[in-house]
Amino acid sequence: MCDSVDQSEHPAPRQARSQRVPGMCIKCKTAKPNVSIRLSLYCKPCFVKAEIFKFRTALNKSRQKANQHGTKLMAAVSGGPTSMAMLKLILDFHNVGRQGKTASTAFASVTVGHVDESALFPGCEDGVQRILQAEDVEVVTARLEDVFDSEEGLELVEKTVTPGAVRDKFVAQIVRQNPGVSPRERLKQLFSGLSTATNREDMLDSIKTFLIKKLAQSCGCRTLLLGDSGTRMATKVVTYTSRGRGYSLPFEVLAESQWGDIAVLRPMREWIAKEVAFFNRWTAQPSAVVPTFTTGAPAKASIDRLTESFIVALDRDFPSTVATICRTVTKLQPQDDAADAVHCLVCGMPAEAGAQTWRNRLTVSDVSSTESEGPVAAGAKPEPEPETKLAAGGIDITQRLCYSCQNLLHDAKPGTVLPEFSTHRYQTSDAADLRKQIEEFLI
Amino acid sequence: MPRVCEICQGAKAILRRPKTGQSICKECFFRVFETEVHNTIVDNKLFRRGDRVGIGASGGKDSTVLAYVMKTLNERYDYGLDLFLLSVDEGISGYRDDSLETVKRNKEQYELPLLIVSYEQLYGWSMDAIVETVGRKNNCTFCGVFRRQALDRGALMLDLDHIVTGHNADDVAETILMNIFRGDIPRLGRCTEIATSGDGYITRSKPFKYAYEKEIVMYAYFRKLDYFSTECTYSPNAYRGYAREFLKDLEAVRPSAILDIIHSGEAMQVASEVKLPSQTSCERCGYISSNRVCKACVLLEGLERGVPQLGIGKSVKKTQDLLAGRTATRSGRAVDVVHFDKLRKHAQEMRHERCTGCTCDTSAPGT
Ligand SMILES: [Zn+2]
Ligand SMILES: [Zn+2]
Ligand SMILES: [Zn+2]
Ligand SMILES: [Zn+2]
């Protein structure tokens, strides 16, 4: 459709920015340039200097906002290029700070937090460990399967659209895990029960977020650095939007966010992938290839994979795209009710009320009852979620899932057992609910 | 073995529903499609009984299906609406003249009154003439600005309370993505609204906000509806093209993605410091505007003076200030652009006439 007036203001396509000395490095203006970043030319030393400066500026800005000074710091490192560049930069920053002049800018300590994903991606861990051991820093590691290291689990017993049913329903029960099955095996079962690469990515995100937060907590680190480049953050914004995570987006992809009492900072947010590659090459910083569910697969293998290749291409034609998308998300505000919202059993993010009803009104599967609805003027409201009668031990968890995780579990096989944090979240939120009900009677 | 419809469990399934992936029969498809539009109308309280509702009809699939479904639901659920077809003739030969023939047939088929307003008649310039002057680069700006006004003018001529347009879920999702890509925060906040009265005159809404484009095509096909299926000859917008292609790919990866993006967009709350400009009315034509002279009048001035780039891009604000307080330039081509006050007065008179002896509120919309 060409009928919207909107179209007058799309971004201008690439234009060459004027260089002060044609054909020379934009900084020193004397050396021949070695790289072009966002249409500016740099020589090798000037590029490295500029990137270090950019990192420190971003970090200091974030620390100021998050009011984090002198705390213990954890850098989340996967071993991939961006997180390794970040590690080099933060260690350098920390050591310079410790050595004197700028002592006030240093952290109490720097620890690397790493999640070992070898349960899902066999063989990927050796290279990462080798690289990390070469760094002069303490490394703490959690394994993905740690989230199945408990006796109880929340098992999905039913999820539908039953044909003709009015609405989807997600029913689970708390089960004892078979002690004969290792945590690693349970993790693999979970992922093989999620039918698509998009769903697996989604679940992996939730697990890694949980683990890295737990690592930071157990080490007493109040500041956590995540190595998301600008390209990665822009991809996340669009991926999360496409997965229906708009409600929690303002909590998930920001320069600074707060996970409980941990300040989460993303100091690599202004870097694009190309800058990372050149920085690592010219500072001899090794990194590993971190595999994903879609490594080597075509673009349409998953939402994340598709979005990434789209963003990279768009940023090539309109070089401000990544920065613009990252800025967009900073202008979003959490909904007023988000502070009191229940936390999703799977992703731990605030889950909006009525998500299920919304979907059901717009994906009707029942044609029998539509006749009886009154005329427009009555303004019939969507019906409230009905009380569901459940088999003994069954728990209706629909209201405890965010819209996006309902999508995720919609395709999951019955019998899928969720990670232990789901059980934990279920039990604690249940206790909180009970407390709320009796609160006025407590002295 | 043929599959049985997943909904009624009786008839043979003949299609896979794009939105949900369910295999269902034709009758169930009609039913769920219509019911979802009905739910959209009811849940958002789009209409009041007795409303005069114009269906923005282009002859294309979206608006043709919209006309059919609006008529069907109005009867089935007794909305009590007076429905009209309202078409804009941009004056694009080989595109609009053919599609208008379709609209005229729809008028007979659906027994709905039809009003066609043309750029030529309203402004003295057809799109063909505009393209001849400005070339093909910025013509969509002209078309968009003029159409918005033309629909409002037509609505006042018919004394409508409401205009519905055929914008579908794909359009809405695509607009959300585009506003994220280019960082248009105010529009990101507004683009998920199902109904707007921002133009001050007539409420506009999108009953197909949650209807997938593929399902609209499917509906038209199985209902054998008569529509015109050529793209505007002057159209495509490169940047929107990117977003559209990406959305199609997303839909292929996960069919619910279109609905999911709209769900995300609706949950996004824009920081309150982002303010929209305050609105006043154009001193030349009376149309709502954030400046003393509205965009349409600036574009028209450019055309009349032979400097069509006048109202394009960044220069538009400056030009609007420059033109304030001056009278319009008129070439031989010019027609008298009717002032909105006059249209409004006329609408009010019509309402009085209709309502002689009845006790309803006779104030015309937008007054
Ligand atoms: Zn230099
Ligand atoms: Zn969730
Ligand atoms: Zn059926
Ligand atoms: Zn005007």
Side-chain angles (χ1 to χ4, degrees), chain B residues 282 285 294 297:
Chain B
C282 169
C285 71
C294 79
C297 284

Side-chain angles (χ1 to χ4, degrees), chain A residues 1-11 161-164 196 198-199 202 237-250 299-304 306-308 310-311 313-314 317-318 320-322 324-336 352 354-355 357-367 370-382 403-404 407-408 410-411, chain B residues 5-9 17 19-20 22 27-28 31-32 35-36 38-43 45-49 62 76-79 140-141 143-145 147-148 165-168 171 174-185 187-188 210 231-232 235 237 239-240 242-244 246 248-254 256-274 295 313-314:
Chain A
M1 288 206 171
C2 78
D3 61 345
S4 62
V5 193
D6 302 6
Q7 298 169 356
S8 49
E9 286 158 39
H10 33 75
V161 206
T162 353
T196 65
T198 300
N199 289 340
D202 214 340
V237 170
V238 178
T239 297
Y240 285 14
T241 301
S242 307
R243 285 184 193 158
R245 302 193 68 84
Y247 188 78
S248 51
L249 194 58
K300 284 193 201 171
S302 76
I303 288 185
D304 195 67
L306 174 69
T307 304
E308 188 177 66
F310 175 76
I311 295 289
L314 195 63
D317 293 347
F318 302 91
S320 59
T321 299
V322 162
T324 307
I325 295 174
C326 292
R327 211 169 36 243
T328 302
V329 73
T330 64
K331 300 280 170 45
L332 299 180
Q333 276 186 341
Q335 296 280 346
D336 302 336
E352 69 267 60
T357 313
W358 186 90
R359 191 200 316 269
N360 284 318
R361 292 290 285 171
L362 301 171
T363 50
V364 173
S365 282
D366 178 15
V367 289
T370 55
E371 217 67 68
S372 59
E373 280 175 44
V376 173
K381 273 183 240 85
Y403 177 89
S404 178
N407 265 347
L408 163 70
H410 182 85
D411 299 326
Chain B
C5 169
E6 284 182 38
I7 290 178
C8 65
Q9 312 276 327
R17 199 179 169 201
K19 204 184 208 175
T20 62
Q22 291 161 299
E27 285 309 314
C28 284
R31 204 61 191 200
V32 294
T35 303
E36 285 163 16
H38 171 65
N39 288 349
T40 305
I41 290 170
V42 170
D43 293 354
K45 301 191 178 71
L46 288 188
F47 312 117
R48 283 173 310 182
R49 175 168 286 279
D62 298 301
R76 180 182 301 160
Y77 297 104
D78 188 26
Y79 292 170
C140 280
T141 306
C143 201
V145 170
R147 180 186 348 239
R148 233 186 143 64
T165 56
H167 291 88
N168 58 41
D171 297 323
E174 185 183 291
T175 307
I176 293 169
L177 290 176
M178 259 181 27
N179 287 330
I180 293 176
F181 296 157
R182 60 188 180 190
D184 194 332
I185 307 295
R187 284 210 177 95
L188 181 60
Y210 305 106
E231 290 278 308
C232 171
S235 121
N237 172 296
Y239 200 73
R240 191 170 268 273
Y242 275 103
R244 168 131 297 202
F246 176 56
K248 292 270 168 255
D249 288 346
L250 279 174
E251 188 190 6
V253 175
R254 184 188 262 182
S256 69
I258 293 174
L259 204 57
D260 298 343
I261 290 169
I262 300 177
H263 188 76
S264 281
E266 288 181 353
M268 286 177 185
Q269 184 167 283
V270 166
S272 53
E273 77 227 44
V274 185
K295 249 180 157 175
K314 299 261 180 276

Side-chain angles (χ1 to χ4, degrees), chain B residues 65-317:
Chain B
V65 175
L66 181 63
Y68 182 90
V69 171
M70 282 300 295
K71 187 180 162 66
T72 304
L73 295 178
N74 192 29
E75 285 163 11
R76 180 182 301 160
Y77 297 104
D78 188 26
Y79 292 170
L81 307 176
D82 272 332
L83 297 177
F84 300 82
L85 295 173
L86 175 55
S87 290
V88 176
D89 181 0
E90 298 93 338
I92 303 173
S93 52
Y95 167 65
R96 190 46 95 215
D97 42 3
D98 290 349
S99 58
L100 281 174
E101 287 311 309
T102 316
V103 178
K104 287 175 193 159
R105 285 198 300 278
N106 289 162
K107 167 192 182 225
E108 305 301 328
Q109 290 153 353
Y110 306 155
E111 298 169 307
L112 295 175
L114 164 68
L115 174 69
I116 300 176
V117 289
S118 76
Y119 287 1
E120 176 88 53
Q121 156 217 337
L122 296 177
Y123 309 110
W125 289 81
S126 70
M127 269 315 284
D128 283 343
I130 292 172
V131 171
E132 219 169 278
T133 316
V134 308
R136 287 186 169 229
K137 211 171 151 219
N138 291 307
N139 57 73
C140 280
T141 306
F142 283 86
C143 201
V145 170
F146 284 173
R147 180 186 348 239
R148 233 186 143 64
Q149 250 211 32
L151 272 177
D152 278 327
R153 288 177 179 274
L156 281 171
M157 291 176 197
L158 288 168
D159 184 25
L160 300 178
D161 299 287
H162 200 118
I163 298 175
V164 289
T165 56
H167 291 88
N168 58 41
D170 299 50
D171 297 323
V172 175
E174 185 183 291
T175 307
I176 293 169
L177 290 176
M178 259 181 27
N179 287 330
I180 293 176
F181 296 157
R182 60 188 180 190
D184 194 332
I185 307 295
R187 284 210 177 95
L188 181 60
R190 274 179 300 158
C191 71
T192 51
E193 288 170 5
I194 188 164
T196 51
S197 47
D199 292 69
Y201 303 100
I202 281 109
T203 309
R204 285 164 187 252
S205 67
K206 314 167 191 153
F208 279 175
K209 181 182 172 190
Y210 305 106
Y212 276 34
E213 186 170 280
K214 280 189 180 145
E215 299 202 350
I216 292 170
V217 175
M218 216 173 228
Y219 190 94
Y221 173 82
F222 284 118
R223 284 269 191 226
K224 300 187 172 62
L225 299 184
D226 181 4
Y227 70 89
F228 183 78
S229 64
T230 307
E231 290 278 308
C232 171
T233 40
Y234 294 136
S235 121
N237 172 296
Y239 200 73
R240 191 170 268 273
Y242 275 103
R244 168 131 297 202
E245 203 183 315
F246 176 56
L247 186 73
K248 292 270 168 255
D249 288 346
L250 279 174
E251 188 190 6
V253 175
R254 184 188 262 182
S256 69
I258 293 174
L259 204 57
D260 298 343
I261 290 169
I262 300 177
H263 188 76
S264 281
E266 288 181 353
M268 286 177 185
Q269 184 167 283
V270 166
S272 53
E273 77 227 44
V274 185
K275 281 260 158 55
L276 297 172
S278 62
Q279 303 275 296
T280 165
S281 54
C282 169
E283 61 184 32
R284 291 191 178 180
C285 71
Y287 194 65
I288 192 128
S289 166
S290 50
N291 224 296
R292 280 177 67 186
V293 180
C294 79
K295 249 180 157 175
C297 284
V298 172
L299 291 174
L300 215 49
E301 176 85 16
L303 287 171
E304 298 290 350
R305 285 197 196 176
V307 272
Q309 57 280 13
L310 208 55
I312 305 290
K314 299 261 180 276
S315 74
V316 65
K317 268 241 129 46

Side-chain angles (χ1 to χ4, degrees), chain A residues 6 12 23 43 76 102-103 125 164 171 186 219 241 257 268 271-272 301 363 398 401 429:
Chain A
D6 302 6
C43 73
T102 49
E125 192 57 17
V171 180
R186 288 177 203 152
C219 296
T241 301
S257 32
M268 301 298 284
W271 294 49
I272 54 173
T363 50
T398 313
L401 298 170
S429 69

Side-chain angles (χ1 to χ4, degrees), chain A residues 202 206 245 248 252 343-352 400-406 408 425:
Chain A
D202 214 340
S206 295
R245 302 193 68 84
S248 51
E252 296 186 276
H343 285 253
C344 173
L345 294 185
V346 175
C347 67
M349 284 293 151
E352 69 267 60
R400 306 271 175 106
L401 298 170
C402 74
Y403 177 89
S404 178
C405 291
Q406 287 174 7
L408 163 70
R425 281 176 192 145

